[in-house]
Amino acid sequence: MATSLASILNLFSTPPGDPVFHVFTSLTLALTTGFLIIGRQKSVEAGQSRRLPIGCGILFIIQLGLFALYFVNKTSGFVNANFFPIFERLAASLTIIGLAWAFLDNTQRKYPTILYGILSLLLIVLALGAVFSKSLFLKNSLLTLFSIDITWQLIALALISISLILALAIRPVMIKVLTPLLLLLAGGHIFQILLTYDLQGQMGAVRLSQMLSFAWLLIAVIYYSSKQNAVKPCRKTSRATNLSAQKPILFKSGAVSQKKPPARRYSRIVGLGQPKKFEQTVQGDEMRVDTKPALVNLLLQINTAKTKTEKYQTIAQALSLGVMADVCFLASISKNSEKIHILGGYDLIRETILKADTLAREDLPNVIAAWNTGKILNLSYDDTDLRDAQTLAMLLNYHAIGDLLAYPLGLPESPLEGGVFFLSPYTGKRWDDKTLQLMGQIHQALSMVLFAPDALEEASFASSQAKTKVNKLTLATEKLYAVLTEKEAQIQEKDTLIKGLKAKFQIDRMETMTQMEQLQQKIADLDAQIANQFDFSSELEQFQKENLQLITEREQLQQELNRIKNMLRTLQTETGQTGPIRLSLENQVISLDSIAANARLRVASYLQEHHIDLETNNPDGRLMIKTDPELLQTALFELLKNAILSSDHGGTIRLEQKLSLEMGMLTVQITDFGEGLTQAEQAALFSAQHESIPGIGSVQAVRNAIRAIRVLNGKIWLKSKKISYTTFRLQIPVRIID
């Protein structure tokens, strides 16, 4: 399955699919850049960002450079064979950085730019270092093409993870386009890692993901461009009006203030007092529509709404129609949490109701800052980079919000309960003094309708609570009646049962009296029989004496048996035999290499535990002998185990095997470089009186090896030097197989 998938993916990295990939990606990026440049020229007044076309242009240059290097590599070839693969992986990583940078357009966009700039320089330096260090890496066998491929794929996945985290933190306007792009590229790099050895260094999976990603990017750009051209702001303002509208104006509560705030890029803040007149825009020919009937109808429907959701939607429709706003949102601010609740909204142009939603205070920082000081916030097309504008654009699911008027609302006991948002994404309407005067006249009544408890609602709530209590009481009464009926039936049943038990008790009592009389008669008969029996006490005493005598004899026999066992153990100790001797009856043909390999395998756990290095010298390893392999392996295992335990942590032991063809003898030497033995300690090793000897790791292991060597009719010698080494040399007669 993996091989088949790898062969399919390699179609995009080998002719004829190789040039098809380069042509497709270059053409797709060229079309995408062209659409973005044309769309920006048509919507320059909307303040469209330049980063997306610049980023797509950079990606186009990268793919064009990769395309050119492909032709150079095919025609003349590079001196360094790894140059083109490393450059292709560098281009894949730079593609991820370019896409993320192009879409992460926010008020804090300089930070992603700095981050991605540093990452790009590091990747370029890494690629150049990998190319120029090729000979060094290959000479030392430190780096292969597979390890290079996996390293670059992991770097690409790390870049995708960083970009996704930044996208979720910044939440750019086109996050719905960026997220699928990054996920498609991540899928390609993951498949590249999983199929590294099957793809044999080719970038088939990554190329397929890039083709899909660039196709999705082109489709998304065409879709948003067509959507942007379908609805254009129709603002026909005079030059004087535009120039004056670009200047921030600050109104304070009460009197009119002519003081201009410090030059800020992002907003106009207007106080809740007497508003200053904004400059009037020069509108074109418009169709005059009488909106009073519809407005009156909506106002009448407010009190007839059955739920609060319907009530909020009706109020939003009425406000949108009253001020002729493209979009109107109603919002309330939670006091107990850092949340802003969108109660409802209405899109006047599309004639659709906008659903409720919940936002964090951090999503509308400028709105909250203005409302907390009791001021109105007015944003224009020049403020599309603000977090507030981007949040409302996402909420509206539209690329722009036009001009924004955020009007705060509150109650006498609570100055800030929420507010109203008026947006003009379609018509580009500017909010003049008429809108502010209207909101100044109705904001108190609107606050009461939105946030104050309604008398009818309170009565309805109290009525519903009363009905709930009545229903609960009725249900409780029915349950009690059912329980009482059940208890009455149980009482009657118990009464009948008691009467039956009383009658049964009387009958049982009569039968018991009769049985007692019969038993008393039997007791009297038995007493008479006991008086006629013989006295068995003397016979019982005789049995007890015989039992004591048998117990004494058993203890004496047990003591004798223990004495004999001790004698046998003493005899075995004196002869040096501490275990059973097994006769060699299972001779097999085996090579000296197998003997050494099996010995290493059996002591592998000890070597790993003590970090001991086993050196093997086996010049006659391919020769075959016939002997008992189990006894021979037992002897070698026990001696190697002793050598491991005698050696220092991290030391070395040595195993040497030689075969004498003339004498038919197998000579094995096992040497450790531990504490070593003195002459007295060597003599004590071959006696059965010592269980622990300095310089010997396991006395029992050595004795087990000696017994196995004796069974094989072999001999063993010991040579040791204190604080230097200890060598066990053994000779075993074997049959050599030609």
Side-chain angles (χ1 to χ4, degrees):
M1 180 65 181
T3 305
S4 302
L5 182 58
S7 62
I8 294 173
L9 294 176
N10 278 335
L11 294 175
F12 299 99
S13 56
T14 55
D18 202 0
V20 171
F21 160 75
H22 291 291
V23 172
F24 178 83
T25 53
S26 301
L27 183 60
T28 305
L29 288 173
L31 292 175
T32 304
T33 307
F35 272 110
L36 289 171
I37 293 174
I38 294 172
R40 172 169 173 78
Q41 290 177 354
K42 292 183 178 181
S43 60
V44 67
E45 292 185 1
Q48 180 178 337
S49 175
R50 297 179 297 175
R51 295 183 68 173
L52 193 55
I54 292 174
C56 292
I58 293 173
L59 296 180
F60 173 69
I61 293 173
I62 292 173
Q63 293 299 324
L64 200 60
L66 185 63
F67 195 9
L69 286 176
Y70 163 75
F71 274 107
V72 172
N73 189 32
K74 287 296 181 183
T75 55
S76 61
F78 294 103
V79 177
N80 193 323
N82 279 346
F83 180 78
F84 183 75
I86 293 176
F87 185 81
E88 184 176 6
R89 285 156 177 79
L90 173 63
S93 300
L94 293 179
T95 299
I96 297 170
I97 292 176
L99 281 173
W101 177 83
F103 281 94
L104 292 178
D105 189 4
N106 200 271
T107 55
Q108 298 180 351
R109 57 188 177 188
K110 61 180 180 180
Y111 300 112
T113 301
I114 296 173
L115 174 62
Y116 285 131
I118 295 173
L119 291 176
S120 301
L121 290 177
L122 290 177
L123 291 176
I124 293 172
V125 171
L126 178 62
L128 293 176
V131 170
F132 292 122
S133 303
K134 170 197 170 187
S135 58
L136 176 62
F137 285 141
L138 293 180
K139 181 178 179 181
N140 298 329
S141 298
L142 296 176
L143 199 60
T144 63
L145 183 58
F146 296 112
S147 60
I148 291 174
D149 189 18
I150 292 176
T151 302
W152 280 101
Q153 307 313 321
L154 292 176
I155 290 173
L157 289 176
L159 292 174
I160 292 173
S161 302
I162 293 172
S163 301
L164 286 174
I165 293 172
L166 289 176
L168 294 176
I170 298 176
R171 300 190 67 83
V173 176
M174 299 184 71
I175 189 174
K176 295 181 179 179
V177 179
L178 176 60
T179 304
L181 284 174
L182 295 177
L183 293 179
L184 281 173
L185 293 174
H189 288 285
I190 290 172
F191 273 104
Q192 190 71 27
I193 293 174
L194 296 178
L195 303 174
T196 299
Y197 294 99
D198 296 314
L199 291 173
Q200 297 180 352
Q202 301 294 332
M203 293 282 284
V206 175
R207 289 188 174 187
L208 178 59
S209 66
Q210 287 182 352
M211 293 173 68
L212 296 176
S213 301
F214 293 157
W216 163 249
L217 176 62
L218 178 59
I219 293 171
V221 168
I222 294 174
Y223 170 74
Y224 278 104
S225 297
S226 61
K227 187 174 180 181
Q228 180 178 352
N229 293 332
V231 181
K232 298 181 179 179
C234 55
R235 296 183 299 166
K236 298 180 180 179
T237 60
S238 64
R239 178 175 180 85
T241 303
N242 286 333
L243 292 175
S244 61
Q246 291 175 0
K247 299 178 180 179
I249 302 175
L250 176 66
F251 295 100
K252 296 183 178 179
S253 178
V256 177
S257 175
Q258 300 295 336
K259 182 180 179 181
K260 298 180 180 179
R264 300 285 297 274
R265 182 181 179 270
Y266 55 85
S267 66
R268 291 194 299 270
I269 301 178
V270 184
L272 288 177
Q274 181 67 26
K276 180 181 179 181
K277 292 186 178 181
F278 282 78
E279 290 80 357
Q280 299 292 330
T281 59
V282 181
Q283 301 290 341
D285 294 337
E286 298 178 350
M287 181 183 295
R288 297 294 180 178
V289 179
D290 189 5
T291 60
K292 290 182 180 179
L295 182 58
V296 172
N297 184 32
L298 291 172
L299 294 175
L300 293 175
Q301 290 180 5
I302 293 176
N303 283 334
T304 61
K306 296 181 180 179
T307 62
K308 286 190 174 182
T309 302
E310 294 180 359
K311 177 181 176 181
Y312 296 145
Q313 292 173 356
T314 305
I315 294 173
Q317 293 183 44
L319 289 173
S320 181
L321 189 61
V323 300
M324 297 304 294
D326 296 357
V327 178
C328 175
F329 283 113
L330 301 177
S332 68
I333 298 177
S334 177
K335 298 179 180 178
N336 299 327
S337 62
E338 299 294 324
K339 299 295 182 182
I340 300 175
H341 301 283
I342 303 299
L343 304 176
Y346 184 70
D347 191 325
L348 184 62
I349 304 301
R350 298 180 180 178
E351 296 183 352
T352 56
I353 294 174
L354 305 177
K355 297 181 180 180
D357 204 343
T358 302
L359 304 173
R361 288 178 180 254
E362 293 80 8
D363 294 334
L364 300 173
N366 297 303
V367 172
I368 296 300
W371 284 4
N372 285 334
T373 57
K375 297 177 181 178
I376 305 168
L377 181 67
N378 193 341
L379 301 181
S380 66
Y381 273 98
D382 297 330
D383 304 316
T384 55
D385 291 340
L386 291 181
R387 181 69 177 273
D388 309 65
Q390 293 179 0
T391 301
L392 293 173
M394 291 180 59
L395 186 64
L396 186 58
N397 195 17
Y398 196 69
H399 70 279
I401 63 170
D403 278 16
L404 166 68
L405 179 65
Y407 199 98
L409 298 175
L411 298 173
E413 61 276 6
S414 179
L416 181 60
E417 289 285 343
V420 182
F421 295 97
F422 294 119
L423 296 86
S424 58
Y426 313 121
T427 62
K429 178 180 179 180
R430 297 192 177 187
W431 311 110
D432 53 10
D433 57 340
K434 291 183 179 180
T435 305
L436 296 177
Q437 288 176 359
L438 176 62
M439 291 304 298
Q441 293 173 1
I442 68 170
H443 78 277
Q444 293 182 355
L446 181 60
S447 300
M448 295 296 294
V449 172
L450 285 175
F451 307 117
D454 185 69
L456 183 59
E457 290 180 357
E458 291 181 352
S460 176
F461 180 71
S463 176
S464 63
Q465 285 187 333
K467 287 182 180 179
T468 303
K469 290 182 180 179
V470 170
N471 293 333
K472 288 182 179 179
L473 291 174
T474 303
L475 184 61
T477 303
E478 293 176 354
K479 288 183 178 180
L480 288 174
Y481 181 76
V483 170
L484 289 175
T485 303
E486 183 181 357
K487 295 298 181 182
E488 185 177 358
Q490 291 178 357
I491 290 172
Q492 292 178 357
E493 182 180 356
K494 298 296 182 183
D495 190 18
T496 304
L497 181 61
I498 289 172
K499 291 180 180 179
L501 291 175
K502 285 182 177 180
K504 185 178 179 181
F505 172 74
Q506 294 296 332
I507 295 172
D508 292 342
R509 183 179 179 186
M510 295 299 295
E511 292 178 354
T512 303
M513 294 298 294
T514 303
Q515 292 177 359
M516 288 179 64
E517 291 177 357
Q518 293 175 357
L519 290 173
Q520 287 179 357
Q521 183 63 37
K522 288 182 179 181
I523 290 171
D525 295 339
L526 290 173
D527 290 339
Q529 292 178 3
I530 290 172
N532 297 326
Q533 296 295 328
F534 293 102
D535 187 13
F536 296 102
S537 59
S538 59
E539 187 175 357
L540 180 61
E541 291 178 358
Q542 184 178 356
F543 286 154
Q544 290 178 348
K545 290 180 180 180
E546 292 178 356
N547 187 23
L548 291 173
Q549 185 178 359
L550 291 174
I551 291 172
T552 303
E553 292 177 356
R554 186 188 67 179
E555 292 178 352
Q556 292 176 355
L557 291 174
Q558 185 69 32
Q559 292 176 357
E560 188 68 21
L561 178 62
N562 292 335
R563 188 178 63 80
I564 293 171
K565 287 182 178 179
N566 292 331
M567 291 175 64
L568 289 174
R569 190 179 296 108
T570 303
L571 291 174
Q572 290 177 354
T573 303
E574 292 176 355
T575 57
Q577 302 295 330
T578 59
I581 297 177
R582 181 183 178 280
L583 294 178
S584 176
L585 299 177
E586 298 181 359
N587 290 341
Q588 296 180 10
V589 177
I590 188 170
S591 66
L592 297 185
D593 283 339
S594 299
I595 295 172
N598 291 333
R600 177 184 289 275
L601 182 62
R602 293 187 65 176
V603 298
S605 60
Y606 290 94
L607 293 173
Q608 184 177 4
E609 181 180 358
H610 295 83
H611 298 282
I612 301 297
D613 185 16
L614 174 60
E615 297 180 354
T616 304
N617 185 11
N618 191 19
D620 303 325
R622 296 188 178 181
L623 296 180
M624 308 294 289
I625 62 173
K626 187 174 183 180
T627 185
D628 189 335
E630 185 175 351
L631 286 173
L632 181 57
Q633 292 295 336
T634 300
L636 294 180
F637 169 73
E638 297 293 347
L639 291 176
L640 288 172
K641 176 181 176 182
N642 170 71
I644 292 171
L645 297 176
S646 300
S647 300
D648 295 333
H649 191 79
T652 303
I653 61 175
R654 185 179 300 158
L655 171 63
E656 299 180 6
Q657 292 187 133
K658 293 182 181 179
L659 189 61
S660 176
L661 300 178
E662 296 81 5
M663 301 178 62
M665 286 287 182
L666 173 63
T667 303
V668 182
Q669 288 190 174
I670 297 174
T671 304
D672 67 82
F673 302 95
E675 185 177 349
L677 301 173
T678 62
Q679 293 295 332
E681 290 172 347
Q682 295 178 28
L685 176 63
F686 291 96
S687 67
Q689 300 177 357
H690 295 82
E691 296 296 333
S692 176
I693 299 175
I696 296 297
S698 174
V699 176
Q700 185 62 38
V702 175
R703 289 174 179 171
N704 291 341
I706 292 172
R707 287 199 300 273
I709 294 169
R710 287 179 178 175
V711 175
L712 292 171
N713 296 324
K715 298 179 180 180
I716 185 170
W717 292 269
L718 172 62
K719 184 178 181 181
S720 180
K721 183 178 181 181
K722 194 64 176 178
I723 317 178
S724 181
Y725 67 90
T726 299
T727 300
F728 286 93
R729 181 171 176 269
L730 55 102
Q731 281 187 348
I732 298 172
V734 296
R735 180 181 177 184
I736 302 173
I737 306 299
D738 295 334

